Amino acid sequence: MRWLVGWSSTAAGAAGIGSAGAVGYDGETLHPVGSQLLWGDPDPLWAVGDWRPDEVRVVHADAENRIAVLGICGAGDEELRRGLFTARGGAVRHLTTWPGSYTAVVQAGRRITVCGDLAGARPVFYTPWAGGTAYATAALPLADLIEANLDFTHLAALLAAPDVPAALRDTTPYDGVRRIPPGHALVLRAGAREIAGYEPVASLAVAAPPADPDRAVDAVRDALVDAVRTRLAAPRHVPDLDPGPVPGMGPAERRAARGMPVPGIGADLSGGPASGTLALLAAGLPGRPGTLLGHGTGAGERLLAVTFNDLAVAGREAELERAGALAAGPRLHHVVVTGGEETLPYADLDGPLTDEPGPSLVQAARHRARLAAGSADHFTGHGARQVLDAHPARLADLLVDRRRRHLVRPVAALARADGSVMVPARVYGAARRLARTPYRTGLEALAERLMRRRFDDPKGAVGASLAALTWARPGPAARWLTGEALAEVSVLLQAAADRSGNGVQRPGDYRARAVLARHAADLRVLEQAAEIRSQRLHAPFLDNQVVRACRDLPEALRVQPGARAAILRTVLEGAGVTDLPSGWGAPSHASSAAAARAGLRVAAEPLLDLFATPLLADAGLVEARVIRKAVRSAAAGEPLPLDGLADLISLELWLRRLLSRRGTCWTGTPTRSRAVPSGIQPRRSALTPGA
């Protein structure tokens, strides 16, 4: 886990506790454990964790003006210097337009600016501290610093309405630690803080001017190529050398057993269009994308393509065949990782503590098995679906813009899937109602549903699309929460509705951004939970410039059936890749629900033991007997929302790991100075509101 942390102190306290040389409780200097100081008093900044040398860059204009960039950034030092001079005047958007995935921190005198990203994969957190403000790219260090307790209202909202920004607000699981929204920057002036958006806000009262589809797809191609090329241009890193042979094991098996990635660059190759696009781009761009000469196979031009073959659940044979066809080129080296019941979801409930909870915790061992065979720099296609696909609510946006004719093809595709002649009328009616429903009314409707415990299970593609044609929906785990927890979230939503007024917003764009933010946050949890030493996961689809290019795609283009595959096919053709296998881009018919249900069946007993005395029950969020019954029913094959159970189980796992940890992220504080110092006290009454 890697993060940066610093603080901005008041002028009066610059030489006191708010400085890099501050004295802690036991007379020690207060600083993060395992850190490197990037700059010091009066507003210090540290980089913490196993950062590579090229991932941390600091450029100085003079003693009081400097910029730090942490991560993969395609800007050279001279570009960073020019960006620093421009940012001194207050403009910060240009700091987020360089290719790559990074966090930029600018210090201009006593003003500090920390830029978050557009997707939410590289968030920024802050908390009041010592008369000023402490900030970090991880929430747990700040929670340790202030000895934060859990925010039970946030945890309830995370289960009841995970895709509703009005429910999650800017809170975190730690009481008093806040996050800045995606697309915003944290600006600190001598301890005082301000949250500023850096993206231009388009008028929502009138339709946006029509965009040229060809030009928009070309922009997506250029952004993706720049994102991949930036990572290929970074210095190669060779993991620790293999300490020696093991009887019965080859080099690749030894590396996997010891948790060591293969030197060089690789990519996931699932057979889907997103991972295939990145693998083909990385293998086809000029340079040496593959392993280093003298290491591994010795093929310096080949990119390592990793495919996971689940032997416990069938149904992905066509995807595996496409992956093999894609990897048949001379510039790719194909490795198939097989997994049985030991790699099913829920098979391994042990793992490291992550910064925040996320549903991917239950699948971390599954992903770790695949990544252990990967490269030191590994491309993944995460985020492509969220930035390219059309959320069903975008149909309402087309009606708002009076572009009804563009609804014909997506509605016809749903009608063919359902086989009912009534589908077009139902979908059009739902989209029309959403287009005419104010945002405030949507929040009030969700608050009412939670209060009255009205939950439904959409059936099929048409049912899911109709259910998504709303401003806000209950989360899949909401049905298992206690009445007090649901009431707490309902009151919170009602208060948010009262504050929101009747502002004009586009429901499709609003829902799509919320889904992207949740996916990016869960990917961050997955990176920490399935982390392989010396390995870096790269998700170019979540880079700022790629997200911007995808947002400029016309809605009329992205709502068409098969739009994502068609866009990525055009991207590859523009990059010179035309020989794609038959069926490339076809939707997968193998549902991840089959693997989740098989994992629940195999791990039923450990899960029942987990919920014998759950911490979630002590927090007042669930009743233990209700969850145990749901686990038994799901393992027996009853049609329950499996993603809701994943939310509950992952949150319980995270709470147990948090409370069992020892130590703290800081020196200069006693052992008790850490998050949730007194644990969870059993709560049987209404939840305490979060800060």
Side-chain angles (χ1 to χ4, degrees), residues 408-687:
V408 174
R409 287 184 59 191
V411 172
L414 286 174
R416 287 193 299 270
D418 187 77
S420 171
V421 296
M422 298 302 296
V423 168
R426 293 168 62 197
V427 173
Y428 180 82
R432 190 165 178 263
R433 283 192 300 274
L434 177 57
R436 296 184 174 188
T437 301
Y439 172 65
R440 174 177 181 173
T441 304
L443 291 184
E444 291 173 341
L446 176 58
E448 179 72 12
R449 290 187 63 179
L450 293 178
M451 187 69 76
R452 297 185 178 276
R453 304 185 69 92
R454 295 206 307 265
F455 309 113
D456 53 2
D457 294 319
K459 305 294 184 183
V462 174
S465 297
L466 291 173
L469 282 167
T470 58
W471 277 106
R473 273 185 53 79
R479 69 189 63 223
W480 293 303
L481 297 187
T482 62
E484 290 88 349
L486 291 175
E488 186 75 20
V489 179
S490 177
V491 170
L492 187 149
L493 287 169
Q494 188 63 58
D498 293 339
R499 292 191 302 268
S500 68
N502 289 305
V504 180
Q505 298 187 59
R506 296 186 186 280
D509 184 65
Y510 168 84
R511 293 294 306 274
R513 290 176 188 245
V515 169
L516 174 61
R518 189 190 184 204
H519 176 80
D522 192 46
L523 176 61
R524 179 170 172 263
V525 171
L526 175 62
E527 288 178 345
Q528 297 167 11
E531 185 176 24
I532 302 295
R533 182 183 175 188
S534 301
Q535 186 179 70
R536 295 291 186 271
L537 296 186
H538 302 284
F541 284 103
L542 298 180
D543 288 4
N544 282 344
Q545 288 300 83
V546 178
V547 171
R548 285 191 178 101
C550 293
R551 285 181 177 174
D552 289 339
L553 290 170
E555 288 182 346
L557 171 64
R558 73 165 78 228
V559 299
Q560 303 309 318
R564 173 162 42 104
I567 291 170
L568 293 179
R569 181 185 293 271
T570 306
V571 166
L572 288 175
E573 290 174 352
V577 181
T578 57
D579 189 16
L580 297 176
S582 174
W584 186 87
S588 172
H589 296 288
S591 172
S592 59
R597 193 172 297 281
L600 275 171
R601 185 173 61 253
V602 172
E605 289 304 320
L607 292 176
L608 292 174
D609 293 340
L610 180 71
F611 282 95
T613 55
L615 295 175
L616 287 174
D618 290 341
L621 299 179
V622 302
E623 293 183 15
R625 60 177 181 81
V626 173
I627 306 305
R628 290 197 296 269
K629 179 182 177 182
V631 170
R632 292 192 191 96
S633 300
E638 293 188 21
L640 294 176
L642 301 182
D643 45 354
L645 280 176
D647 290 343
L648 283 166
I649 294 169
S650 60
L651 183 52
E652 177 68 23
L653 290 173
W654 181 81
L655 287 173
R656 289 176 179 265
R657 294 172 189 176
L658 177 65
L659 296 185
S660 64
R661 71 188 283 249
R662 297 183 178 181
T664 174
C665 294
W666 298 85
T667 63
T669 63
T671 305
R672 62 177 173 79
S673 182
R674 61 185 181 191
V676 200
S678 58
I680 298 179
Q681 303 301 321
R683 307 164 72 86
R684 299 302 178 190
S685 57
L687 297 175

Side-chain angles (χ1 to χ4, degrees), residues 260-528:
M260 295 170 55
V262 178
I265 291 183
D268 283 341
L269 190 62
S270 67
S275 63
T277 297
L278 294 178
L280 293 174
L281 283 179
L285 289 176
R288 292 171 51 183
T291 57
L292 299 177
L293 288 173
H295 294 276
T297 63
E301 292 291 330
R302 297 208 290 174
L303 177 139
L304 180 66
V306 180
T307 300
F308 181 74
N309 182 14
D310 191 349
L311 301 179
V313 179
R316 293 192 178 273
E317 291 78 9
E319 285 194 2
L320 290 172
E321 185 177 345
R322 284 196 295 270
L326 288 170
R331 294 181 65 87
L332 289 93
H333 173 57
H334 194 205
V335 173
V336 178
V337 178
T338 58
E341 289 189 351
E342 73 281 357
T343 60
L344 285 172
Y346 309 101
D348 185 0
L349 300 182
D350 294 326
L353 172 64
T354 56
D355 191 43
E356 296 182 277
S360 61
L361 285 179
V362 300
Q363 300 191 27
R366 186 178 181 84
H367 289 280
R368 196 181 301 117
R370 182 188 82 254
L371 296 174
S375 296
D377 289 278
H378 198 78
F379 285 95
T380 70
H382 286 286
R385 183 186 305 273
Q386 286 72 28
V387 298
L388 289 173
D389 284 11
H391 192 281
R394 287 193 184 272
L395 298 178
D397 292 359
L398 291 174
L399 292 180
V400 170
D401 294 340
R402 300 182 183 277
R403 298 175 183 172
R404 296 178 179 84
R405 62 186 180 89
H406 296 296
L407 272 68
V408 174
R409 287 184 59 191
V411 172
L414 286 174
R416 287 193 299 270
D418 187 77
S420 171
V421 296
M422 298 302 296
V423 168
R426 293 168 62 197
V427 173
Y428 180 82
R432 190 165 178 263
R433 283 192 300 274
L434 177 57
R436 296 184 174 188
T437 301
Y439 172 65
R440 174 177 181 173
T441 304
L443 291 184
E444 291 173 341
L446 176 58
E448 179 72 12
R449 290 187 63 179
L450 293 178
M451 187 69 76
R452 297 185 178 276
R453 304 185 69 92
R454 295 206 307 265
F455 309 113
D456 53 2
D457 294 319
K459 305 294 184 183
V462 174
S465 297
L466 291 173
L469 282 167
T470 58
W471 277 106
R473 273 185 53 79
R479 69 189 63 223
W480 293 303
L481 297 187
T482 62
E484 290 88 349
L486 291 175
E488 186 75 20
V489 179
S490 177
V491 170
L492 187 149
L493 287 169
Q494 188 63 58
D498 293 339
R499 292 191 302 268
S500 68
N502 289 305
V504 180
Q505 298 187 59
R506 296 186 186 280
D509 184 65
Y510 168 84
R511 293 294 306 274
R513 290 176 188 245
V515 169
L516 174 61
R518 189 190 184 204
H519 176 80
D522 192 46
L523 176 61
R524 179 170 172 263
V525 171
L526 175 62
E527 288 178 345
Q528 297 167 11

Side-chain angles (χ1 to χ4, degrees), residues 234-259:
R236 297 288 194 269
H237 291 270
V238 181
D240 297 335
L241 295 179
D242 193 338
V246 176
M249 283 190 179
E253 293 171 315
R254 289 200 304 270
R255 278 192 296 265
R258 290 165 173 161

